[in-house]
């Protein structure tokens, strides 16, 4: 298939975004791994970030391979790459929702018993929650693998019957979309709950600032603002992706026209922005970025006097 100029334009943007996301994910993993080796421990947020970085790395590679290979060779069945993409995609959503929950627990100023207990136990709970996210993603993969096996066996039993084969593929495709949306809806509810609780905490804190204007209040406000900025980026990302999944049931995205590549460019632009916001929210990553952009501070030359 020879792409037209508009398709080539969006394909180029998508390719550049993919390379950017791969570099960002690699940087997150490299920096936090070095920190882990030096300090021998990681904060709960950094545990999730390093897991998310690894997940995003493989997710972007599988996305690029599947999209380009299926476009230039549509007759080739790339179900194994699709399974890798689905696994890493589901895991990425659960990890990002988990990160939103951790931000909510750490930043919110609620004094309810459940929040105090979570704040005290969060360091021990994060490794278990990461394992639960991995198990849920593995279950999704098993279901998808069974679906692919059933589809391949039924298609083999209908040789030459194009009408029944296309009907079967349409039915299984819609079943897959429904199952995938259901699996993504649960982490979305977790994210939505965390967002509402953080907004409620911020409003409660604003009322307290009117009576007490202290430095601690200002630092708490900054923490709330950082968390809400991160959640806002994820909200844009999740909404865009959710809409893309819904539209993918239509003709346009199945046949990978220029609109398909435009949609991919939009969704992965938000992914790149989301990763950037994560890097800026981590003190360790932010410090590395500052040194990389501004360069190390040069020592003052001997004999020079400061005014």
């Amino acid at each position: 298939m020879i792409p037209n100029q508009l398709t080539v334009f969006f394909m180029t943007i998508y390719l550049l975004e993919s390379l950017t996301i791969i570099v960002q994910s690699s940087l997150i993993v490299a920096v936090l791994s070095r920190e882990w080796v030096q300090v021998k421990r990681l904060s709960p947020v950094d545990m999730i970030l390093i897991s998310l970085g690894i997940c995003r790395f493989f997710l972007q590679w599988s996305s690029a391979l599947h999209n380009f290979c299926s476009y230039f060779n549509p007759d080739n069945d790339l179900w194994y790459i699709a399974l890798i993409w689905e696994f890493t995609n589901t895991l990425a959503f659960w990890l990002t929702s988990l990160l939103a929950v951790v931000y909510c627990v750490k930043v919110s100023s609620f004094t309810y018993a459940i929040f105090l207990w979570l704040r005290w136990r969060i360091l021990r709970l994060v490794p278990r929650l990461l394992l639960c996210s991995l198990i849920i993603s593995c279950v999704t993969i098993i279901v998808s693998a069974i679906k692919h096996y059933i589809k391949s066996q039924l298609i083999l039993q209908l040789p030459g019957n194009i009408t029944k084969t296309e009907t079967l593929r349409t039915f299984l495709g819609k079943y897959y979309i429904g199952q995938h949306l259901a699996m993504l809806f649960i982490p979305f509810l977790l994210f939505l709950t965390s967002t509402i609780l953080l907004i409620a905490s911020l409003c409660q804190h604003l009322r307290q600032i009117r009576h007490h204007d202290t430095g601690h209040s200002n630092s708490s406000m900054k923490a709330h603002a950082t968390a809400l900025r991160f959640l806002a980026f994820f909200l844009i990302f999740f909404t865009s992706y959710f809409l893309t999944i819904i539209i993918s049931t239509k003709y346009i995205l199945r046949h990978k026209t220029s609109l398909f590549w435009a949609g991919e460019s939009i969704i992965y632009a938000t992914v790149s922005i989301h990763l950037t916001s994560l890097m800026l929210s981590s003190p360790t990553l932010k410090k590395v970025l500052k040194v990389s952009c501004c360069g190390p501070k040069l020592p003052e030359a001997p004999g020079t006097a400061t005014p």
Side-chain angles (χ1 to χ4, degrees), residues 15 19 33 96-97 100 114 153 160 173 180 209 216-217 243 262 278 282 306:
L15 179 60
L19 293 175
S33 297
T96 315
S97 298
I114 183 65
Q153 291 299 313
H180 197 57
I209 289 180
H216 174 71
S217 297
L243 291 175
L278 291 181
S282 172
T306 57

Side-chain angles (χ1 to χ4, degrees), residues 40-56:
K40 306 299 182 185
R41 63 182 299 273
L42 284 176
S43 66
V45 172
D46 287 342
M47 288 181 189
I48 304 173
L49 282 178
I50 194 171
S51 302
L52 189 58
I54 296 172
C55 186
R56 281 284 173 212

Side-chain angles (χ1 to χ4, degrees), residues 55 100 106 196 204 206 261 265 289:
C55 186
K106 289 175 66 68
I196 293 174
Q204 182 183 23
L206 285 173
W261 293 103
S265 300
L289 287 176

Side-chain angles (χ1 to χ4, degrees), residues 75-207:
D75 296 329
N76 192 11
D77 189 7
L78 303 171
W79 62 270
Y80 49 92
I81 300 180
L83 284 182
I84 295 174
W85 178 87
E86 185 176 351
F87 170 74
T88 52
N89 180 65
T90 305
L91 183 58
F93 267 92
W94 278 101
L95 291 176
T96 315
S97 298
L98 178 58
L99 191 59
V101 172
V102 171
Y103 266 105
C104 179
V105 171
K106 289 175 66 68
V107 176
S108 62
S109 57
F110 294 118
T111 57
Y112 300 111
I114 183 65
F115 278 91
L116 296 177
W117 180 82
L118 283 173
R119 200 168 293 155
W120 177 60
R121 296 272 299 178
I122 196 67
L123 185 61
R124 296 180 181 180
L125 284 176
V126 165
R128 298 178 184 178
L129 292 174
L130 289 174
L131 181 60
C132 289
S133 301
L134 183 63
I135 293 174
I136 293 173
S137 302
C138 289
V139 171
T140 305
I141 278 294
I142 293 173
V143 173
S144 297
I146 294 174
K147 185 262 303 182
H148 175 77
Y149 175 77
I150 293 174
K151 182 180 74 172
S152 60
Q153 291 299 313
L154 289 176
I155 290 176
L156 287 176
Q157 294 176 9
L158 300 172
N161 197 328
I162 301 177
T163 303
K164 290 185 177 181
T165 301
E166 287 299 323
T167 303
L168 176 64
R169 286 180 176 175
T170 303
F171 170 76
L172 291 175
K174 291 182 177 180
Y175 166 78
Y176 161 75
I177 293 295
Q179 170 215 330
H180 197 57
L181 290 178
M183 291 302 298
L184 296 182
F185 188 70
I186 299 175
F188 175 69
L189 285 181
L190 290 175
F191 158 75
L192 190 61
T193 304
S194 302
T195 306
I196 293 174
L197 289 175
L198 264 180
I199 293 173
S201 175
L202 180 58
C203 294
Q204 182 183 23
H205 193 70
L206 285 173
R207 287 194 296 266

